[in-house]
PDB file of all heavy atoms in Angstrom:
ATOM      1  N   GLU Q   1       0.857  -1.220   0.016  1.00  0.00           N
ATOM      2  CA  GLU Q   1       0.064   0.045  -0.078  1.00  0.00           C
ATOM      3  C   GLU Q   1       0.905   1.231   0.096  1.00  0.00           C
ATOM      4  O   GLU Q   1       0.639   2.255  -0.690  1.00  0.00           O
ATOM      5  CB  GLU Q   1      -0.933   0.058   1.211  1.00  0.00           C
ATOM      6  CG  GLU Q   1      -2.114  -1.021   1.068  1.00  0.00           C
ATOM      7  CD  GLU Q   1      -1.762  -2.340   1.482  1.00  0.00           C
ATOM      8  OE1 GLU Q   1      -0.643  -2.663   1.700  1.00  0.00           O
ATOM      9  OE2 GLU Q   1      -2.785  -3.250   1.492  1.00  0.00           O
ATOM     10  N   ARG Q   2       1.925   1.355   0.812  1.00  0.00           N
ATOM     11  CA  ARG Q   2       2.810   2.361   0.878  1.00  0.00           C
ATOM     12  C   ARG Q   2       3.472   2.708  -0.481  1.00  0.00           C
ATOM     13  O   ARG Q   2       3.835   3.749  -0.844  1.00  0.00           O
ATOM     14  CB  ARG Q   2       3.751   2.314   2.003  1.00  0.00           C
ATOM     15  CG  ARG Q   2       3.142   2.558   3.322  1.00  0.00           C
ATOM     16  CD  ARG Q   2       4.152   2.623   4.388  1.00  0.00           C
ATOM     17  NE  ARG Q   2       4.974   1.433   4.764  1.00  0.00           N
ATOM     18  CZ  ARG Q   2       4.654   0.435   5.588  1.00  0.00           C
ATOM     19  NH1 ARG Q   2       3.395   0.429   6.191  1.00  0.00           N
ATOM     20  NH2 ARG Q   2       5.510  -0.586   5.629  1.00  0.00           N
ATOM     21  N   LEU Q   3       3.789   1.534  -1.171  1.00  0.00           N
ATOM     22  CA  LEU Q   3       4.461   1.604  -2.493  1.00  0.00           C
ATOM     23  C   LEU Q   3       3.530   2.134  -3.550  1.00  0.00           C
ATOM     24  O   LEU Q   3       3.985   2.508  -4.732  1.00  0.00           O
ATOM     25  CB  LEU Q   3       5.102   0.311  -2.982  1.00  0.00           C
ATOM     26  CG  LEU Q   3       6.283  -0.305  -2.181  1.00  0.00           C
ATOM     27  CD1 LEU Q   3       6.576  -1.677  -2.646  1.00  0.00           C
ATOM     28  CD2 LEU Q   3       7.487   0.625  -2.346  1.00  0.00           C
ATOM     29  N   GLY Q   4       2.201   2.187  -3.189  1.00  0.00           N
ATOM     30  CA  GLY Q   4       1.213   2.559  -4.256  1.00  0.00           C
ATOM     31  C   GLY Q   4       0.678   1.300  -5.165  1.00  0.00           C
ATOM     32  O   GLY Q   4       0.256   1.531  -6.312  1.00  0.00           O
ATOM     33  N   LEU Q   5       0.845   0.124  -4.625  1.00  0.00           N
ATOM     34  CA  LEU Q   5       0.645  -1.084  -5.358  1.00  0.00           C
ATOM     35  C   LEU Q   5      -0.302  -2.008  -4.506  1.00  0.00           C
ATOM     36  O   LEU Q   5      -0.212  -3.203  -4.585  1.00  0.00           O
ATOM     37  CB  LEU Q   5       1.944  -1.783  -5.700  1.00  0.00           C
ATOM     38  CG  LEU Q   5       2.780  -1.108  -6.585  1.00  0.00           C
ATOM     39  CD1 LEU Q   5       4.249  -1.821  -6.650  1.00  0.00           C
ATOM     40  CD2 LEU Q   5       2.220  -1.158  -8.056  1.00  0.00           C
ATOM     41  N   GLY Q   6      -1.094  -1.319  -3.592  1.00  0.00           N
ATOM     42  CA  GLY Q   6      -1.951  -2.141  -2.710  1.00  0.00           C
ATOM     43  C   GLY Q   6      -3.163  -2.659  -3.599  1.00  0.00           C
ATOM     44  O   GLY Q   6      -3.308  -2.330  -4.745  1.00  0.00           O
ATOM     45  N   PRO Q   7      -3.882  -3.647  -2.955  1.00  0.00           N
ATOM     46  CA  PRO Q   7      -4.999  -4.294  -3.732  1.00  0.00           C
ATOM     47  C   PRO Q   7      -5.953  -3.299  -4.296  1.00  0.00           C
ATOM     48  O   PRO Q   7      -6.497  -3.577  -5.439  1.00  0.00           O
ATOM     49  CB  PRO Q   7      -5.622  -5.174  -2.564  1.00  0.00           C
ATOM     50  CG  PRO Q   7      -4.592  -5.325  -1.518  1.00  0.00           C
ATOM     51  CD  PRO Q   7      -3.796  -4.136  -1.553  1.00  0.00           C
ATOM     52  N   GLU Q   8      -6.377  -2.266  -3.605  1.00  0.00           N
ATOM     53  CA  GLU Q   8      -7.422  -1.265  -4.155  1.00  0.00           C
ATOM     54  C   GLU Q   8      -6.932  -0.736  -5.397  1.00  0.00           C
ATOM     55  O   GLU Q   8      -7.671  -0.576  -6.445  1.00  0.00           O
ATOM     56  CB  GLU Q   8      -7.662  -0.288  -3.081  1.00  0.00           C
ATOM     57  CG  GLU Q   8      -8.749   0.738  -3.462  1.00  0.00           C
ATOM     58  CD  GLU Q   8      -9.122   1.802  -2.308  1.00  0.00           C
ATOM     59  OE1 GLU Q   8      -8.866   1.398  -1.057  1.00  0.00           O
ATOM     60  OE2 GLU Q   8      -9.745   2.721  -2.700  1.00  0.00           O
ATOM     61  N   THR Q   9      -5.677  -0.259  -5.367  1.00  0.00           N
ATOM     62  CA  THR Q   9      -4.936   0.406  -6.655  1.00  0.00           C
ATOM     63  C   THR Q   9      -5.042  -0.574  -7.720  1.00  0.00           C
ATOM     64  O   THR Q   9      -5.426  -0.332  -8.875  1.00  0.00           O
ATOM     65  CB  THR Q   9      -3.585   0.944  -6.250  1.00  0.00           C
ATOM     66  OG1 THR Q   9      -3.696   1.916  -5.198  1.00  0.00           O
ATOM     67  CG2 THR Q   9      -3.105   1.616  -7.519  1.00  0.00           C
ATOM     68  N   CYS Q  10      -4.406  -1.813  -7.449  1.00  0.00           N
ATOM     69  CA  CYS Q  10      -4.342  -2.839  -8.565  1.00  0.00           C
ATOM     70  C   CYS Q  10      -5.655  -3.237  -9.137  1.00  0.00           C
ATOM     71  O   CYS Q  10      -5.659  -3.498 -10.379  1.00  0.00           O
ATOM     72  CB  CYS Q  10      -3.343  -3.955  -7.894  1.00  0.00           C
ATOM     73  SG  CYS Q  10      -1.652  -3.461  -7.574  1.00  0.00           S
ATOM     74  N   LEU Q  11      -6.542  -3.555  -8.235  1.00  0.00           N
ATOM     75  CA  LEU Q  11      -7.740  -4.057  -8.692  1.00  0.00           C
ATOM     76  C   LEU Q  11      -8.592  -3.006  -9.426  1.00  0.00           C
ATOM     77  O   LEU Q  11      -9.388  -3.323 -10.277  1.00  0.00           O
ATOM     78  CB  LEU Q  11      -8.582  -4.612  -7.480  1.00  0.00           C
ATOM     79  CG  LEU Q  11      -8.190  -5.993  -7.027  1.00  0.00           C
ATOM     80  CD1 LEU Q  11      -8.720  -6.200  -5.654  1.00  0.00           C
ATOM     81  CD2 LEU Q  11      -8.639  -7.078  -7.950  1.00  0.00           C
ATOM     82  N   ARG Q  12      -8.368  -1.620  -9.219  1.00  0.00           N
ATOM     83  CA  ARG Q  12      -8.937  -0.576  -9.856  1.00  0.00           C
ATOM     84  C   ARG Q  12      -8.437  -0.670 -11.318  1.00  0.00           C
ATOM     85  O   ARG Q  12      -9.109  -0.362 -12.206  1.00  0.00           O
ATOM     86  CB  ARG Q  12      -8.676   0.710  -9.251  1.00  0.00           C
ATOM     87  CG  ARG Q  12      -9.552   1.987  -9.816  1.00  0.00           C
ATOM     88  CD  ARG Q  12      -9.591   3.018  -8.909  1.00  0.00           C
ATOM     89  NE  ARG Q  12      -8.327   3.603  -8.527  1.00  0.00           N
ATOM     90  CZ  ARG Q  12      -7.948   3.428  -7.211  1.00  0.00           C
ATOM     91  NH1 ARG Q  12      -8.710   3.076  -6.212  1.00  0.00           N
ATOM     92  NH2 ARG Q  12      -6.667   3.883  -6.760  1.00  0.00           N
ATOM     93  N   ARG Q  13      -7.183  -0.931 -11.427  1.00  0.00           N
ATOM     94  CA  ARG Q  13      -6.452  -0.959 -12.729  1.00  0.00           C
ATOM     95  C   ARG Q  13      -6.861  -2.314 -13.489  1.00  0.00           C
ATOM     96  O   ARG Q  13      -7.021  -2.257 -14.746  1.00  0.00           O
ATOM     97  CB  ARG Q  13      -5.022  -0.844 -12.490  1.00  0.00           C
ATOM     98  CG  ARG Q  13      -4.206  -0.844 -13.870  1.00  0.00           C
ATOM     99  CD  ARG Q  13      -4.297   0.565 -14.465  1.00  0.00           C
ATOM    100  NE  ARG Q  13      -3.657   0.555 -15.814  1.00  0.00           N
ATOM    101  CZ  ARG Q  13      -2.351   0.838 -15.940  1.00  0.00           C
ATOM    102  NH1 ARG Q  13      -1.642   1.082 -14.855  1.00  0.00           N
ATOM    103  NH2 ARG Q  13      -1.681   0.802 -17.053  1.00  0.00           N
ATOM    104  N   ASN Q  14      -7.003  -3.324 -12.783  1.00  0.00           N
ATOM    105  CA  ASN Q  14      -7.350  -4.740 -13.311  1.00  0.00           C
ATOM    106  C   ASN Q  14      -8.344  -5.358 -12.506  1.00  0.00           C
ATOM    107  O   ASN Q  14      -8.004  -6.112 -11.569  1.00  0.00           O
ATOM    108  CB  ASN Q  14      -5.993  -5.472 -13.411  1.00  0.00           C
ATOM    109  CG  ASN Q  14      -6.174  -6.873 -14.111  1.00  0.00           C
ATOM    110  OD1 ASN Q  14      -7.299  -7.159 -14.354  1.00  0.00           O
ATOM    111  ND2 ASN Q  14      -4.984  -7.536 -14.385  1.00  0.00           N
ATOM    112  N   PRO Q  15      -9.635  -5.163 -12.692  1.00  0.00           N
ATOM    113  CA  PRO Q  15     -10.778  -5.731 -11.977  1.00  0.00           C
ATOM    114  C   PRO Q  15     -10.792  -7.208 -11.891  1.00  0.00           C
ATOM    115  O   PRO Q  15     -11.333  -7.844 -10.879  1.00  0.00           O
ATOM    116  CB  PRO Q  15     -11.989  -5.248 -12.555  1.00  0.00           C
ATOM    117  CG  PRO Q  15     -11.554  -3.946 -13.344  1.00  0.00           C
ATOM    118  CD  PRO Q  15     -10.263  -4.371 -13.874  1.00  0.00           C
ATOM    119  N   GLY Q  16     -10.010  -7.847 -12.846  1.00  0.00           N
ATOM    120  CA  GLY Q  16     -10.057  -9.366 -12.822  1.00  0.00           C
ATOM    121  C   GLY Q  16      -8.844 -10.003 -12.034  1.00  0.00           C
ATOM    122  O   GLY Q  16      -8.753 -11.151 -12.017  1.00  0.00           O
ATOM    123  N   LEU Q  17      -7.999  -9.015 -11.462  1.00  0.00           N
ATOM    124  CA  LEU Q  17      -6.790  -9.471 -10.818  1.00  0.00           C
ATOM    125  C   LEU Q  17      -7.012 -10.493  -9.550  1.00  0.00           C
ATOM    126  O   LEU Q  17      -7.765 -10.010  -8.715  1.00  0.00           O
ATOM    127  CB  LEU Q  17      -5.989  -8.289 -10.453  1.00  0.00           C
ATOM    128  CG  LEU Q  17      -4.573  -8.539  -9.989  1.00  0.00           C
ATOM    129  CD1 LEU Q  17      -3.678  -9.069 -11.019  1.00  0.00           C
ATOM    130  CD2 LEU Q  17      -3.910  -7.336  -9.306  1.00  0.00           C
ATOM    131  N   ILE Q  18      -6.171 -11.366  -9.477  1.00  0.00           N
ATOM    132  CA  ILE Q  18      -6.160 -12.183  -8.247  1.00  0.00           C
ATOM    133  C   ILE Q  18      -4.932 -11.797  -7.492  1.00  0.00           C
ATOM    134  O   ILE Q  18      -3.768 -12.124  -8.022  1.00  0.00           O
ATOM    135  CB  ILE Q  18      -6.056 -13.814  -8.490  1.00  0.00           C
ATOM    136  CG1 ILE Q  18      -7.313 -14.208  -9.396  1.00  0.00           C
ATOM    137  CG2 ILE Q  18      -5.988 -14.572  -7.206  1.00  0.00           C
ATOM    138  CD1 ILE Q  18      -8.622 -13.841  -8.806  1.00  0.00           C
ATOM    139  N   TYR Q  19      -5.152 -11.155  -6.379  1.00  0.00           N
ATOM    140  CA  TYR Q  19      -4.093 -10.398  -5.648  1.00  0.00           C
ATOM    141  C   TYR Q  19      -3.571 -11.465  -4.446  1.00  0.00           C
ATOM    142  O   TYR Q  19      -4.203 -11.544  -3.363  1.00  0.00           O
ATOM    143  CB  TYR Q  19      -4.561  -9.143  -5.211  1.00  0.00           C
ATOM    144  CG  TYR Q  19      -3.451  -8.256  -4.710  1.00  0.00           C
ATOM    145  CD1 TYR Q  19      -3.163  -6.957  -5.304  1.00  0.00           C
ATOM    146  CD2 TYR Q  19      -2.787  -8.484  -3.441  1.00  0.00           C
ATOM    147  CE1 TYR Q  19      -2.234  -6.169  -4.866  1.00  0.00           C
ATOM    148  CE2 TYR Q  19      -1.848  -7.624  -2.985  1.00  0.00           C
ATOM    149  CZ  TYR Q  19      -1.534  -6.381  -3.607  1.00  0.00           C
ATOM    150  OH  TYR Q  19      -0.587  -5.539  -3.203  1.00  0.00           O
ATOM    151  N   GLY Q  20      -2.467 -12.240  -4.686  1.00  0.00           N
ATOM    152  CA  GLY Q  20      -2.094 -13.181  -3.657  1.00  0.00           C
ATOM    153  C   GLY Q  20      -1.077 -12.569  -2.736  1.00  0.00           C
ATOM    154  O   GLY Q  20      -0.081 -12.121  -3.233  1.00  0.00           O
ATOM    155  N   ARG Q  21      -1.334 -12.674  -1.413  1.00  0.00           N
ATOM    156  CA  ARG Q  21      -0.406 -12.122  -0.491  1.00  0.00           C
ATOM    157  C   ARG Q  21      -0.182 -13.072   0.633  1.00  0.00           C
ATOM    158  O   ARG Q  21      -1.208 -13.720   1.056  1.00  0.00           O
ATOM    159  CB  ARG Q  21      -0.790 -10.776   0.063  1.00  0.00           C
ATOM    160  CG  ARG Q  21      -2.283 -10.540   0.355  1.00  0.00           C
ATOM    161  CD  ARG Q  21      -2.654  -9.096   0.606  1.00  0.00           C
ATOM    162  NE  ARG Q  21      -1.695  -8.173   0.521  1.00  0.00           N
ATOM    163  CZ  ARG Q  21      -1.817  -6.856   0.923  1.00  0.00           C
ATOM    164  NH1 ARG Q  21      -2.960  -6.332   1.302  1.00  0.00           N
ATOM    165  NH2 ARG Q  21      -0.781  -5.933   0.831  1.00  0.00           N
ATOM    166  N   VAL Q  22       1.007 -13.356   1.132  1.00  0.00           N
ATOM    167  CA  VAL Q  22       1.309 -14.329   1.993  1.00  0.00           C
ATOM    168  C   VAL Q  22       2.338 -13.637   3.115  1.00  0.00           C
ATOM    169  O   VAL Q  22       3.145 -12.885   2.835  1.00  0.00           O
ATOM    170  CB  VAL Q  22       2.023 -15.497   1.474  1.00  0.00           C
ATOM    171  CG1 VAL Q  22       3.320 -15.169   0.868  1.00  0.00           C
ATOM    172  CG2 VAL Q  22       2.237 -16.524   2.600  1.00  0.00           C
ATOM    173  N   THR Q  23       1.759 -13.848   4.385  1.00  0.00           N
ATOM    174  CA  THR Q  23       2.402 -13.290   5.578  1.00  0.00           C
ATOM    175  C   THR Q  23       2.433 -14.323   6.560  1.00  0.00           C
ATOM    176  O   THR Q  23       1.795 -15.434   6.417  1.00  0.00           O
ATOM    177  CB  THR Q  23       1.742 -12.139   6.164  1.00  0.00           C
ATOM    178  OG1 THR Q  23       0.357 -12.380   6.465  1.00  0.00           O
ATOM    179  CG2 THR Q  23       1.794 -10.895   5.191  1.00  0.00           C
ATOM    180  N   GLY Q  24       3.277 -14.160   7.706  1.00  0.00           N
ATOM    181  CA  GLY Q  24       3.210 -15.126   8.882  1.00  0.00           C
ATOM    182  C   GLY Q  24       2.025 -14.927   9.684  1.00  0.00           C
ATOM    183  O   GLY Q  24       1.418 -15.917   9.802  1.00  0.00           O
ATOM    184  N   TRP Q  25       1.793 -13.718  10.097  1.00  0.00           N
ATOM    185  CA  TRP Q  25       0.777 -13.467  11.066  1.00  0.00           C
ATOM    186  C   TRP Q  25      -0.657 -13.165  10.493  1.00  0.00           C
ATOM    187  O   TRP Q  25      -1.656 -13.125  11.146  1.00  0.00           O
ATOM    188  CB  TRP Q  25       1.053 -12.345  12.080  1.00  0.00           C
ATOM    189  CG  TRP Q  25       2.443 -12.522  12.822  1.00  0.00           C
ATOM    190  CD1 TRP Q  25       3.494 -11.701  12.617  1.00  0.00           C
ATOM    191  CD2 TRP Q  25       2.779 -13.510  13.789  1.00  0.00           C
ATOM    192  NE1 TRP Q  25       4.558 -12.111  13.473  1.00  0.00           N
ATOM    193  CE2 TRP Q  25       4.112 -13.269  14.109  1.00  0.00           C
ATOM    194  CE3 TRP Q  25       2.106 -14.746  14.303  1.00  0.00           C
ATOM    195  CZ2 TRP Q  25       4.832 -14.069  15.182  1.00  0.00           C
ATOM    196  CZ3 TRP Q  25       2.884 -15.401  15.250  1.00  0.00           C
ATOM    197  CH2 TRP Q  25       4.182 -15.052  15.539  1.00  0.00           C
TER     198      TRP Q  25
END
């Protein structure tokens, strides 16, 4: 999100995007 590449921004650009994110917690 701080880079300007968060889900909201990316899905607005590409509504069919599958945004996969993996974290520990």
